[in-house]
Amino acid sequence: MIFIDGEAGTGKTVLTSSTFYELYCQAEESNKELKCQLLVNHDEQIIVYEQIAEKLGLTEKYGKVVSKPTTFINNHSENDPIDVAFVDEAHLLLTQGKQSYRGENQLRDIIDRARVTVVMFDENQILTTEQFWESQILEKYRNQAKAENNHIALYKQLRMQVDFATMDWIDSFTKERCLKKIPDTFGGYDIKVFDKPELLDVEIQKKAKESDSMLSRVIATYDWEYSSNHRPEDRLMRYWEVLIGKWHKPWNRELESELTRKEKRAIKGLAWAEQPQTINEVGSTFTIQGFDLNYAGVILGPSVKYRNGKVIFDPLESCNEKAIRNRTLSDGTKQKFGEILIQHEVRVLMTRGVNGMYIYACDPELQKALLEAAK
């Protein structure tokens, strides 16, 4: 097993896809048959990898080489392992049974079905209780790779055009819960704090109209209700929405249903941020995880607060049931991890923007502290 640790934007996806392609090229050159699969437990990422595999001609030659872990596990046996399984976003693997997955640990099941398993992992992007890796289980795999000299750590921030001071500000906020003075950057990464969500929205809309920053979107912490299965109970609500004062905007994928057949065909295979109608929506971590934006308009909802000089992550204000419910540990005890999972969620949002991040906070104390930090 090869275990690769890397935070958001350190190049895990590029490394995975380029190595995957290179292996197939080498196999062809030496006339060897090779069975490789690229696995990721994320709907948006699956689309991207399928596009890459198609462009590189892998799908035409080898059939379906990209799939979700559950599909792979159900369709392969331990008696006939593939050569290499690449697992991107391994922090999204399940560590307990759910729906069509009947096992107990997806990584263990993948390892049993592949001669070599390459794991890309970022524990700072674990967002739900079922993805929560108990430290001793995680360490076992990491230590196994280290013992075989197969552990790689990626440190260099490749996504965001940031200097050290700006990255330190984001790290302090999302890891140490500390709000420092926002550093001045000249011609580099742009952090701005807005008085109102309306003003942040207008600025992101402007950026999205410019050819070099079309991938600019408003995103937010999961602090507003949303369901893809049923409509809001409030008959006056046309959509699930992010609602702050008088400002409101559709939440997640609400506008897709209003597109014509022709428009739906045009966006087929595009990630959420690439679809033109999403400029009129607010995305959550579930629509944006693993993707770049030019400028990220980050709305910190009521779950992110500021009290006594510290940033607080409050599970009671979150609507993300997957983050705030109990998790049963391997010893049978139940524990909550809502606070740390919301902290991860904020880090995912704050590391999306390549060129800049615009911020608005719903909590009055945090908003005041951010405005002060931006002076």
Side-chain angles (χ1 to χ4, degrees), residues 112-344:
D112 290 341
R113 287 161 177 77
R115 292 188 173 88
V116 177
T117 306
V118 183
V119 170
M120 304 277 172
F121 196 88
D122 177 7
E123 54 198 311
N124 287 297
Q125 289 197 61
I126 295 170
L127 300 175
T128 69
T129 54
E130 67 225 13
Q131 294 158 4
F132 202 93
W133 285 65
E134 296 174 51
S135 55
Q136 70 267 30
I137 298 172
L138 171 62
E139 276 307 301
K140 179 187 146 197
Y141 289 112
R142 193 182 270 121
N143 289 337
Q144 182 187 324
K146 282 179 178 175
E148 294 165 8
N149 207 20
N150 282 339
H151 178 259
I152 298 163
L154 305 175
Y155 296 110
K156 191 169 169 56
Q157 177 54 244
L158 301 174
R159 172 188 290 141
M160 300 160 70
Q161 304 295 310
V162 288
D163 56 13
F164 173 79
T166 306
M167 201 64 229
D168 178 63
W169 187 87
I170 294 168
D171 285 345
S172 297
F173 191 100
T174 59
K175 289 183 173 179
E176 295 157 29
R177 310 185 184 204
C178 173
L179 178 50
K180 294 182 176 178
K181 179 171 167 41
I182 296 172
D184 292 322
T185 53
F186 299 98
Y189 194 85
D190 193 16
I191 296 181
K192 284 183 186 168
V193 181
F194 285 80
D195 280 334
K196 296 176 180 176
E198 295 94 321
L199 298 175
L200 177 147
D201 191 19
V202 166
E203 198 59 35
I204 289 291
Q205 297 262 1
K206 272 189 210 165
K207 288 289 183 191
K209 286 184 177 131
E210 295 169 14
S211 59
D212 60 349
S213 56
M214 289 169 73
L215 282 183
S216 296
R217 293 293 185 271
V218 179
I219 52 182
T221 49
Y222 210 103
D223 296 348
W224 291 269
E225 286 187 356
Y226 175 79
S227 171
S228 56
N229 300 322
H230 60 87
R231 308 309 306 151
E233 287 177 18
D234 184 344
R235 298 278 174 92
L236 296 174
M237 282 180 69
R238 190 172 169 191
Y239 311 109
W240 294 106
E241 289 189 317
V242 170
L243 179 62
I244 304 167
K246 291 182 180 176
W247 181 81
H248 56 100
K249 202 166 183 177
W251 185 208
N252 288 316
R253 304 169 173 280
E254 290 293 86
L255 299 181
E256 194 176 326
S257 61
E258 298 190 346
L259 300 179
T260 63
R261 277 188 186 176
K262 187 181 176 184
E263 287 169 331
K264 281 181 180 173
R265 271 199 306 274
I267 65 164
K268 194 174 188 298
L270 294 180
W272 177 85
E274 296 172 316
Q275 298 171 17
Q277 82 282 0
T278 61
I279 189 61
N280 297 313
E281 294 177 334
V282 180
S284 68
T285 46
F286 296 107
T287 58
I288 206 68
Q289 189 174 21
F291 287 88
D292 299 357
L293 292 171
N294 296 119
Y295 288 85
V298 177
I299 293 176
L300 299 172
S303 68
V304 190
K305 299 176 172 166
Y306 194 66
R307 301 288 183 271
N308 303 316
K310 288 299 264 187
V311 178
I312 305 286
F313 302 105
D314 184 359
L316 296 175
E317 298 279 11
S318 175
C319 290
N320 185 359
E321 284 299 319
K322 290 184 174 184
I324 58 180
R325 64 189 172 202
N326 282 337
R327 163 76 196 220
T328 305
L329 302 182
S330 50
D331 63 2
T333 61
K334 289 185 186 295
Q335 239 177 295
K336 286 186 181 292
F337 296 98
E339 206 174 311
I340 189 91
L341 293 176
I342 293 167
Q343 182 175 330
H344 289 176

Side-chain angles (χ1 to χ4, degrees), residues 27-44:
E28 280 186 8
E29 282 170 18
S30 53
N31 289 317
K32 287 182 180 172
E33 191 187 334
L34 182 76
K35 287 182 186 171
C36 276
Q37 285 277 317
L38 214 161
L39 313 174
V40 63
N41 204 16
H42 191 288
D43 292 336
E44 299 279 343

